Amino acid sequence: MGAEQMADGADQGADETGPGTAGRVPADAGRGGGKKQPSAPPPVPPRPLDAIDQDILRILQTDGRASIRSVAERVHVSRANAYARINRLIDDGVIRGFSARVDHERAGQGASAYITLKIVQNSWRTVREQLEELPGAAHIALVSGDFDVLLLVHAPDNRSLRELVLTRLQSIPEVLSTRTLLVFEETDLGPGTATGPTL
């Protein structure tokens, strides 16, 4: 089952406008005065990022604690300009937030695993909501291939990990099967961030 098949909630009906439908009376005729229901506005396309925006993103990905003044100096714009650009990147959803890189073993989560799941068709949104509630869930992805979902979890120890898989995951009705891949060692290649930029 591929990702495209699983994205539930898509409209699958089509207007009947083909041969043999001429003269057919709409089912709601006479009940709403023929008024069109207001449709949701189309999504706003993302604004293009210029070279300065890209440089700001690289700086903040490397050091999320960089001050506005420092960012402005490094990209050669005024502090007000840098502040406005960062706020726009946040408002547009380009910057989704600031977080700390954590050494999970030192934080008491010494057992990590990637777990693959096969799930019932068209149940992705329901399953995702339940996976988000799992303790230690770090990353959830809907994927194509031999399984449907890839889940990364961190747990205090193997016993807690086993409990999470055998009790919590397998009790979700839409989960058909799971496979657990223990992580023996990992290297985080992502740039580190800790807090948002300061004035």
Side-chain angles (χ1 to χ4, degrees):
M1 173 173 51
E4 295 173 359
Q5 296 174 307
M6 293 166 42
D8 53 335
D11 293 333
Q12 296 182 357
D15 292 335
E16 293 183 341
T17 56
T21 62
R24 188 173 294 173
V25 179
D28 60 351
R31 289 185 294 178
K35 290 181 180 178
K36 266 189 173 180
Q37 295 294 325
S39 58
V44 178
R47 283 185 273 195
L49 304 183
D50 62 18
I52 294 176
D53 291 329
Q54 297 286 0
D55 287 343
I56 289 173
L57 287 177
R58 277 191 288 271
I59 291 168
L60 293 180
Q61 283 180 296
T62 303
D63 180 10
R65 301 179 70 181
S67 69
I68 297 290
R69 181 176 180 177
S70 168
V71 172
E73 289 174 353
R74 292 169 65 180
V75 298
H76 309 293
V77 298
S78 69
R79 193 166 75 167
N81 189 328
Y83 185 80
R85 283 173 177 269
I86 291 171
N87 277 340
R88 192 194 74 211
L89 291 169
I90 293 171
D91 291 342
D92 286 355
V94 177
I95 295 177
R96 297 188 298 173
F98 299 90
S99 61
R101 289 176 66 189
V102 176
D103 183 319
H104 295 286
E105 188 168 358
R106 294 182 68 86
Q109 295 179 310
S112 298
Y114 287 96
I115 303 170
T116 66
L117 296 83
K118 289 186 178 181
I119 63 175
V120 173
Q121 186 171 354
N122 297 328
S123 65
W124 162 239
R125 288 179 175 82
T126 301
V127 171
R128 180 180 60 192
E129 290 174 0
Q130 297 178 77
L131 296 181
E132 288 173 350
E133 299 298 320
L134 291 175
H139 184 79
I140 305 166
L142 177 68
V143 298
S144 63
D146 295 334
F147 49 88
D148 306 311
V149 178
L150 182 64
L151 170 67
L152 171 62
V153 295
H154 303 289
D157 49 42
N158 285 340
R159 182 175 181 177
S160 302
L161 188 58
R162 185 177 67 232
E163 174 75 10
L164 186 146
V165 174
L166 297 181
T167 303
R168 298 290 296 271
L169 275 180
Q170 295 186 4
S171 68
I172 298 174
E174 296 83 3
V175 172
L176 301 176
S177 65
T178 66
R179 184 177 181 186
T180 302
L181 309 171
L182 292 177
V183 175
F184 296 131
E185 185 176 334
E186 59 184 327
T187 301
D188 185 2
L189 301 180
T193 56
T195 61
T198 58
L199 295 173

